[in-house]
Amino acid sequence: MQLNDKVSLITGAAGGIGLGIARRFIAAGSKVAIADINMDAARQVVAELGEDRAMAVAMDVTDEDAVNAGVQAVVDRWGRVDVLVSNAGVQIVHPIEDFPFAAWKKMLAIHLDGAFLTTKAVLPHMYAQGSGSVLLMGSVHSKLASPLKSAYVTAKHGLMGLARVIAKEGGPKGVRANVICPGFVRTPLVDKQIPEQAKTLGISEEEVVNNIMLGGTVTKEFTTIEDVAEVALTFAAFPTNALTGQSLIVSHGWHME
Ligand code: NAD
């Protein structure tokens, strides 16, 4: 699986899973745009990955102008966009009756508006090239629900629908779209939830990890950033567009279908 001479744009790539995907794609030969709202972290990442193969792109994925300017900056530098990984995401947990409306809207904006706006911005370039691969970062929560996660589950389910429409519209123009569905991965996004869930549910942090996060897995293991990056590479580098409109769960068997 190689991405030689490809240009990949990854949102939320200054840390966590997005950074892991960026590292894997560079190892596979891709040039990578590190698009993130946290520019200090993005610049540090680019310094580490090498300015010849990586570029930092300032992008709040909920801001249409910022998304369009970021995609244009990538095209200006490297002339094309072959792979979009819409990965930027946050987590906010509350029971529905306490979920602040502003927090709900923020969650849907980052996960759904972000995927829509970045896709909308790259598609004209991919259509002009006659090829492209769009990856949306879903979750096991694209397939099932958990308490406290109404906004996250709603958004992650929504990405399944968006990917299928991109696959239908993009197919005749050489563009494919797929969804990656990881189980729990130890990143800042998950570390933040452990004490929050323990408090809301009235259980220990150890119980949150062992029962809620890993209770359904077959080996009581977290999925790793490297596991997710390998799935991303498979979708990005697959040699034909036969692989489109699909989702792949990587979760140590937490959810099987
Ligand atoms: P993370 O918090 O480690 O990293 C998220 C990155 O997104 C950060 O670099 C942050 O600066 C960036 N970001 C946040 N808001 C942004 C915005 N508006 N515009 C641009 N960038 C923004 O999180 P992570 O765990 O690596 O999660 C990445 C994706 O993977 C998310 O979509 C998340 O829902 C999904 N996911 C994570 C897990 C998990 O267990 N960690 C499981 C399944 C799916």
Side-chain angles (χ1 to χ4, degrees):
M1 288 288 175
Q2 283 299 314
L3 291 173
N4 292 327
D5 304 321
K6 302 285 186 195
V7 173
S8 304
L9 168 63
I10 308 173
T11 68
I17 291 171
L19 175 55
I21 294 172
R23 289 190 206 284
R24 188 67 189 91
F25 279 19
I26 283 181
S30 184
K31 299 186 183 89
V32 173
I34 307 291
D36 208 286
I37 201 168
N38 183 344
M39 274 310 275
D40 288 343
R43 284 198 198 93
Q44 273 181 24
V45 162
V46 168
E48 182 212 319
L49 296 176
E51 299 208 351
D52 51 332
R53 304 210 67 82
M55 70 182 281
V57 174
M59 189 185 285
D60 175 349
V61 297
T62 68
D63 177 340
E64 184 170 19
D65 291 339
V67 168
N68 290 342
V71 169
Q72 193 57 51
V74 176
V75 173
D76 287 346
R77 167 139 187 224
W78 285 321
R80 53 192 298 120
V81 185
D82 299 289
V83 182
L84 165 68
V85 185
S86 171
N87 163 80
V90 297
Q91 179 60 282
I92 302 174
V93 293
H94 295 288
I96 293 172
E97 68 273 22
D98 297 331
F99 215 112
F101 188 33
W104 164 270
K105 285 194 274 199
K106 177 181 172 184
M107 287 289 288
L108 297 196
I110 295 174
H111 291 272
L112 289 179
D113 297 0
F116 167 73
L117 290 173
T118 49
T119 301
K120 185 179 176 193
V122 299
L123 279 183
H125 302 287
M126 292 180 171
Y127 288 166
Q129 294 158 198
S131 66
S133 177
V134 174
L135 300 186
L136 305 184
M137 188 55 68
S139 162
V140 166
H141 285 108
S142 299
K143 311 280 181 171
L144 53 73
S146 293
L148 312 180
K149 296 191 172 173
S150 52
Y152 191 78
V153 169
T154 301
K156 292 302 190 190
H157 276 64
L159 292 176
M160 297 285 297
L162 177 60
R164 289 171 179 146
V165 176
I166 302 165
K168 291 233 172 189
E169 293 186 7
K173 297 171 180 172
V175 174
R176 64 174 180 261
N178 294 288
V179 184
I180 306 169
C181 299
F184 281 101
V185 181
R186 279 310 278 266
T187 66
L189 179 141
V190 161
D191 285 338
K192 176 175 159 283
Q193 285 173 62
I194 295 171
E196 288 175 357
Q197 291 215 29
K199 191 170 166 218
T200 310
L201 298 172
I203 58 178
S204 70
E205 293 189 15
E206 202 179 4
E207 285 171 314
V208 171
V209 170
N210 292 336
N211 301 343
I212 293 181
M213 295 185 167
L214 302 182
T217 67
V218 293
T219 49
K220 306 286 179 251
E221 279 177 89
F222 278 98
T223 302
T224 65
I225 288 174
E226 290 73 25
D227 293 327
V228 182
E230 215 54 46
V231 173
L233 179 63
T234 302
F235 275 131
F238 196 78
T240 74
N241 284 348
L243 187 57
T244 194
Q246 304 304 308
S247 56
L248 187 61
I249 303 167
V250 53
S251 72
H252 285 280
W254 170 19
H255 184 67
M256 303 186 194
E257 59 177 18

